[in-house]
Amino acid sequence: MRLQLSPELEAFREEMRTFFTTQVPQEIRDTVAARRHLSKEQYVEAMRTLNAAGLAVPHWPVEWGGRGWTPLQMHIWREEMQLACVPEPLPFNASMIGPVIAAFGSQEQKERFLPKTANIDIWWCQGFSEPDAGSDLASLRTTAVRDGDDWVVNGQKTWTTLGQHADWIFCLVRTDPTAEKKQRGISLLVFPMDAPGVTLRPIQLIDGSHEVNEVFFEDVRVPAENLIGEENRGWDYAKFLLGNERVGIARIGSSKRLLAQAKAYAREVTVGGRPLIEEPRMADRIAELENELLALELTALRVVAHSADGKSHPASSVLKLRGSELQQDITELVVDIAGPLSLSSFADGGSEVPDWARVATPEYLNYRKVSIYGGSNEVQRTIIAGTILGL
């Protein structure tokens, strides 16, 4: 099945494809293609390249760098970026705190933060999850107490992704512990990561990488002007932010690219003197994943077609749920294609094993997270049951 666009949208797709494949440094794209971790410098260079061309934050209001595109244009932009191995704009900046400040911040906050956020002059990190407040985020315990012109913050956050690179944090804090509903006593503060009293500790992941962190706050003084929106309305802003985070989380373009790579790997690996891809069970497995991915893409297009006023269709939860499962399935496929070669990731350097096989197992292990972040798949099933199936 081939999906056909109008001539205007085909021209738009070609424009995006040409830019991503010619203007973003090849070294950065090669790192993404090889499924290696990007450095901070590579992230910054890629996003600034996009921002200079007006392609970093096209979903923002036009006055702050947005393009006023249709949902379908946004879908094409994201898919072509992923297919071209271009790092997507840093989500903490582009999809999380940026849209929140644009929608709820004061004019002074917009002028102060949005240009620097779009150009990654400020690298943001997210202070939401806590040791006892992950999926039940409203149970957070980090507090902020007003003291004159400041808020004084105490508590702990965890799973703070790429916090080791961050300049600022946007942080949910409890400002009214007596609120009748726990969601009503939460506010959103922003402050520098180098403020006195902020301590960051790395968490080593199962694949051996340092991607997430714990962050501790001890009597951190935050100017009152750094409160985003209204006091005790942080839960509303958090829901708005998480809705933006889930946009594009299915990562269909990236899954297409990795599945195509997996097919190429299966042609390279031989079993019994013939390419692995000719083994019937492997061929069936690849075909099934291709069909599932096409079904997901069609669902994504339906969601795009029915999104309005910047609000995603409830079926976006289906995209998150199925998209994350397929990402995990494809990384598992690559491990199985590599077979014993996938164990080489735990060996010392100097191996003649292909790079793709060496990263297969670490990537498989890392991708266990995708069914958790952005709203766990269990939460998405509950949303689907209530808003789509009416159960």
Side-chain angles (χ1 to χ4, degrees):
M1 181 183 296
R2 292 181 59 84
L3 304 176
Q4 188 167 359
L5 299 173
S6 68
E8 294 78 14
L9 286 173
E10 284 290 358
F12 177 79
R13 181 187 288 278
E14 187 59 35
E15 177 188 351
M16 294 297 102
R17 182 175 299 168
T18 299
F19 179 87
F20 293 139
T21 56
T22 62
Q23 300 304 308
V24 178
Q26 188 66 43
E27 177 191 4
I28 295 175
R29 295 176 55 229
D30 287 344
T31 301
V32 174
R35 307 198 303 286
R36 299 288 185 182
H37 290 286
L38 291 160
S39 67
K40 178 179 181 178
E41 293 72 24
Q42 288 175 316
Y43 266 118
V44 170
E45 184 177 2
M47 187 159 171
R48 286 180 178 169
T49 300
L50 296 181
N51 193 48
L55 298 178
V57 290
H59 54 297
W60 286 15
V62 173
E63 63 182 307
W64 299 111
R67 299 294 295 270
W69 286 344
T70 66
L72 186 51
Q73 286 176 305
M74 287 296 306
H75 174 82
I76 294 170
W77 165 80
R78 182 173 290 108
E79 182 178 53
E80 288 301 324
M81 190 185 312
Q82 293 172 358
L83 288 171
C85 301
V86 171
E88 294 182 63
L90 189 69
F92 318 108
N93 286 39
S95 301
M96 298 184 188
I97 192 60
V100 168
I101 293 175
F104 305 107
S106 66
Q107 184 65 23
E108 189 275 334
Q109 288 171 338
K110 293 175 185 178
E111 294 173 356
R112 179 184 180 189
F113 291 119
L114 290 182
K116 292 182 178 180
T117 297
N119 202 48
I120 211 167
D121 296 328
I122 295 176
W123 181 303
W124 292 91
C125 66
Q126 181 181 24
F128 277 25
S129 295
E130 298 185 3
D132 295 318
S135 294
D136 185 18
L137 183 58
S139 297
L140 63 87
R141 298 179 181 177
T142 296
T143 61
V145 177
R146 188 66 181 261
D147 181 24
D149 292 332
D150 295 334
W151 292 97
V152 180
V153 178
N154 284 278
Q156 176 188 357
K157 299 294 179 177
T158 194
W159 312 125
T160 305
T161 304
L162 300 181
Q164 69 270 28
H165 300 326
D167 304 302
W168 282 65
I169 186 170
F170 51 94
C171 194
L172 287 180
V173 294
R174 189 163 300 283
T175 45
D176 182 4
T178 65
E180 183 177 347
K181 291 186 65 175
K182 56 188 179 182
Q183 289 90 343
R184 292 179 181 169
I186 295 172
S187 299
L188 181 63
L189 293 175
V190 299
F191 50 93
M193 286 291 284
D194 61 359
V198 178
T199 302
L200 182 141
R201 297 179 186 170
I203 299 174
Q204 187 175 25
L205 296 183
I206 193 172
D207 67 347
S209 67
H210 170 204
E211 189 178 23
V212 296
N213 307 268
E214 296 176 287
V215 186
F216 299 86
F217 312 112
E218 184 176 358
D219 293 331
V220 179
R221 301 193 73 87
V222 179
E225 65 191 32
N226 287 12
L227 173 74
I228 302 298
E230 299 177 25
E231 183 178 339
N232 296 326
R233 286 202 57 198
W235 186 249
D236 295 332
Y237 310 145
K239 289 191 295 183
F240 177 88
L241 181 150
L242 291 171
N244 277 283
E245 181 186 7
R246 290 171 191 150
V247 174
I249 206 166
R251 295 185 59 78
I252 294 170
S254 295
S255 293
K256 281 183 177 181
R257 173 168 46 81
L258 182 55
L259 186 53
Q261 289 176 323
K263 290 176 69 175
Y265 303 150
R267 294 187 185 98
E268 296 176 9
V269 175
T270 58
V271 177
R274 67 174 184 171
L276 181 59
I277 199 169
E278 295 180 7
E279 200 275 325
R281 286 175 296 180
M282 177 58 67
D284 287 348
R285 187 174 171 187
I286 291 174
E288 181 178 0
L289 285 171
E290 287 179 325
N291 288 334
E292 291 283 350
L293 195 51
L294 177 59
L296 181 68
E297 183 174 16
L298 292 171
T299 302
L301 290 172
R302 286 200 300 272
V303 169
V304 165
H306 292 89
S307 296
D309 300 325
K311 297 180 180 179
S312 296
H313 190 273
S316 60
S317 288
V318 176
L319 297 181
K320 197 283 173 179
L321 172 64
R322 197 69 191 105
S324 61
E325 291 174 341
L326 283 175
Q327 290 173 63
Q328 292 175 337
D329 289 344
I330 296 170
T331 58
E332 183 176 2
L333 172 69
V334 175
V335 169
D336 290 345
I337 292 172
L341 297 179
S342 65
L343 299 176
S344 64
S345 59
F346 302 104
D348 295 332
S351 170
E352 295 182 0
V353 173
D355 284 345
W356 68 265
R358 292 180 66 87
V359 302
T361 295
E363 184 174 52
Y364 164 80
L365 293 173
N366 186 273
Y367 267 64
R368 300 307 93 192
K369 69 188 179 187
V370 300
S371 51
I372 300 173
Y373 67 58
S376 72
N377 283 7
E378 289 76 11
V379 170
Q380 301 309 314
R381 289 186 177 94
T382 300
I383 294 173
I384 292 167
T387 61
I388 300 177
L389 302 179
L391 299 179

